[in-house]
Amino acid sequence: MIESTGIEAPSSVYEALAERLRKSIRRGDFQPGQLLGSEHELARQQSISRMTVRRASEILVSEGLIERRPGRGLYVCSGSVGTTLVQVVAGNLEWEPSLQVSRGVQQVARQRGIQVQLYDAHGDELLDLEMLRRLPGGMAKGAVIVSLHGPRFNEAVYELRSKRFPFVLADQRLHDIEVPSVTADNYAGGYDVGKLLLGNGHRRIAFVGDLVASTVRDRLSGLRDAIADAGVAFDRSLVVDLLADKDRLGDWSAHIEKAVSDLMSRPTPPTAVFFSCDGVARPGLRAMLRMGIRVPHDVSIVGFDDDPIAEWLQPGLTTVRQPFAQMGEAAIDLLCKLIADPNAKVEHHTLPVQLVERGSVGPVRSA
C-alpha cells in the first residue's frame, strides 16, 4: 500500500503521486518486476482520477522506474545489472519523423546491448518538458531528445545541459549553447527546391511554415539564396509564418488553409508554394483543391520530410527526404561517446538530404 500524504493543490496532484511512488520504489517497498497495480486500482486507492495516475505513471515510465504492460498493469522495472539504459524523448510518436528517429536509435542500441526506453508525450508539451527536467534523477544514463523547436523547449535543454546529463539533440542545432546534435542539411534541401522551381520557370515562389523552428528557417534561407543566385528578386510578402502565437503541438490545419487561401486569392498569386514540411503541405493541397486550383497546372507545390503518405497524394508530392532513421543511428552513436567520456568534445553531425520529384511540380503556366 502506498501511503497518502494529504491533499495537494490540483496543479501538482500527479507530480505528488509520482514522487510518492518514486520514494516507495527507491526505498525498496517494491521489488524489481513487482506489480504496482493497474491505473484504475491506483486511482481508486488514491481517490484521484485515472488521468492523474496516467500522468504520474508517464513520468516514472520515462525515468525507467516502472514499465506499462498492456492489459496487466504497471510493474517496477527489473533494471538488469550491466545493462545501459538510455531514453528517447519524443513529443509525439504519431509523427513519422519522431518514430523513424526512435527506430534508428533502437537499431544501433540493439546491436550494442543497450536498453532503450521510449517516452512519448502524446503531443503534450508540458509533459515533454517535465520529462526533460526529470531526466537527471532517473535511471537512464543518457537521452536522445527529439526537438520540439520552441523557446520553452530550448530553456529546458539549457537547464539539462547545466546539470551535465549526457544527451544528444535530434533535428535541431542550438547556437546559443554548445549541445551535441544531429540534423539534416535543411539549407541544402531548401536550395535544391529553389533550383527545381526556378528550372521550371517559377519566379513568384511562396513559403509557408513555422519560422520559430531553426530547421525551417534554414530551409527558407536555402530557398532565398537559390533565388538570389539566379538573379531573381525574392518577394518577402510571399513568406507566411504559421505559428508565431499558436499552439505548437495543436492542429494547424485551419491556419494553413487560411494562409493558402490568402496567398492564392491575391491579384497576382504565387505560381509555386514551398511548404515547410509534408504535414503542412497536405492541408495546403486540400485547401487549393477546394478553391478549384489545379496542381501543378495552376500552381506547383513542394514539401519537406518525405512522409510515407507523400507519394500517395494526388498528385504525388515533390518533397525533400530527410534521413530520420540515420539521424537516430548517429544520435545514439554520439550519445554512447558522451556516456563513456562526459568531457568529450561537443559534436554536431549534419546528414545529407535528397530531393524526391513527383507530380506536384510542373512548368509555370503561360500568362
Side-chain angles (χ1 to χ4, degrees):
M1 176 69 70
I2 303 162
E3 295 181 359
S4 175
T5 59
I7 299 175
E8 299 84 8
S11 62
S12 63
V13 171
Y14 77 93
E15 292 182 342
L17 175 59
E19 179 62 18
R20 292 200 299 274
L21 288 168
R22 186 183 296 109
K23 288 181 178 179
S24 294
I25 293 170
R26 287 179 171 168
R27 69 172 173 248
D29 295 347
F30 299 92
Q31 298 303 308
Q34 183 176 345
L35 173 67
L36 284 176
S38 67
E39 290 179 353
H40 177 74
E41 290 169 343
L42 289 174
R44 180 169 49 81
Q45 181 186 109
Q46 298 292 310
S47 299
I48 54 179
S49 72
R50 185 171 179 178
M51 181 56 68
T52 299
V53 174
R54 168 58 64 93
R55 290 172 69 91
S57 64
E58 286 287 356
I59 292 173
L60 299 182
V61 167
S62 69
E63 293 176 359
L65 290 174
I66 66 174
E67 61 180 336
R68 182 178 290 105
R69 300 180 187 177
R72 300 176 64 185
L74 303 171
Y75 288 77
V76 178
C77 286
S78 298
S80 56
V81 178
T83 299
T84 299
L85 173 68
V86 300
Q87 182 82 50
V88 175
V89 183
N92 195 337
L93 286 176
E94 289 186 2
W95 296 344
E96 187 67 23
S98 296
L99 186 60
Q100 290 190 34
V101 168
S102 301
R103 287 174 176 169
V105 171
Q106 290 176 306
Q107 177 67 24
V108 173
R110 189 179 304 115
Q111 297 169 358
R112 300 188 180 187
I114 296 172
Q115 181 182 351
V116 176
Q117 189 172 56
L118 300 180
Y119 176 74
D120 180 5
H122 304 286
D124 188 330
E125 183 180 18
L126 293 180
L127 274 179
D128 191 273
L129 299 179
E130 180 65 23
M131 175 58 238
L132 296 186
R133 286 191 286 268
R134 293 183 179 275
L135 277 172
M139 296 177 64
K141 300 297 184 183
V144 173
I145 302 170
V146 183
S147 178
L148 286 185
H149 301 283
R152 290 197 294 181
F153 175 83
N154 293 349
E155 289 173 6
V157 171
Y158 297 153
E159 181 181 342
L160 188 61
R161 176 63 171 167
S162 70
K163 296 180 179 178
R164 301 183 62 81
F165 180 82
F167 71 91
V168 175
L169 189 59
D171 195 33
Q172 181 182 12
R173 177 175 177 177
L174 297 176
H175 296 285
D176 297 336
I177 186 173
E178 280 290 276
V179 172
S181 64
V182 179
T183 63
D185 196 338
N186 292 278
Y187 175 87
Y191 196 95
D192 288 345
V193 169
K195 288 198 302 180
L196 173 68
L197 295 176
L198 290 163
N200 278 275
H202 296 281
R203 296 297 181 268
R204 286 186 57 76
I205 302 171
F207 184 90
V208 178
D210 166 23
L211 294 178
V212 172
S214 60
T215 51
V216 173
R217 295 197 300 271
D218 288 343
R219 294 165 200 171
L220 176 58
S221 294
L223 173 69
R224 280 191 306 217
D225 285 355
I227 293 173
D229 289 348
V232 177
F234 181 75
D235 188 347
R236 294 184 179 181
S237 73
L238 296 177
V239 176
V240 180
D241 185 3
L242 286 173
L243 303 174
D245 300 307
K246 300 175 179 69
D247 179 9
R248 299 192 49 74
L249 297 181
D251 185 357
W252 306 356
S253 299
H255 309 307
I256 297 166
E257 292 176 9
K258 184 179 186 305
V260 168
S261 177
D262 291 345
L263 279 171
M264 302 311 297
S265 298
R266 294 186 181 189
T268 307
T271 63
V273 180
F274 179 15
F275 292 98
S276 62
C277 67
D278 296 350
V280 174
R282 288 194 298 272
L285 173 60
R286 189 166 59 240
M288 289 177 180
L289 295 177
R290 277 205 294 266
M291 296 174 70
I293 297 170
R294 297 164 296 175
V295 176
H297 185 268
D298 298 322
V299 62
S300 291
I301 67 171
V302 183
F304 210 99
D305 289 345
D306 195 27
D307 283 354
I309 199 173
E311 64 178 315
W312 299 108
L313 296 175
Q314 292 297 327
L317 181 64
T318 293
T319 185
V320 177
R321 179 177 297 155
Q322 292 202 69
F324 289 114
Q326 290 87 345
M327 197 180 295
E329 294 172 2
I332 184 63
D333 183 65
L334 183 53
L335 180 61
C336 288
K337 294 180 182 178
L338 294 174
I339 293 174
D341 180 9
N343 297 316
K345 181 181 177 181
V346 174
E347 297 181 34
H348 306 285
H349 294 184
T350 303
L351 306 183
V353 296
Q354 177 186 357
L355 180 65
V356 181
E357 297 186 48
R358 298 192 179 101
S360 67
V361 171
V364 67
R365 186 177 62 172
S366 299

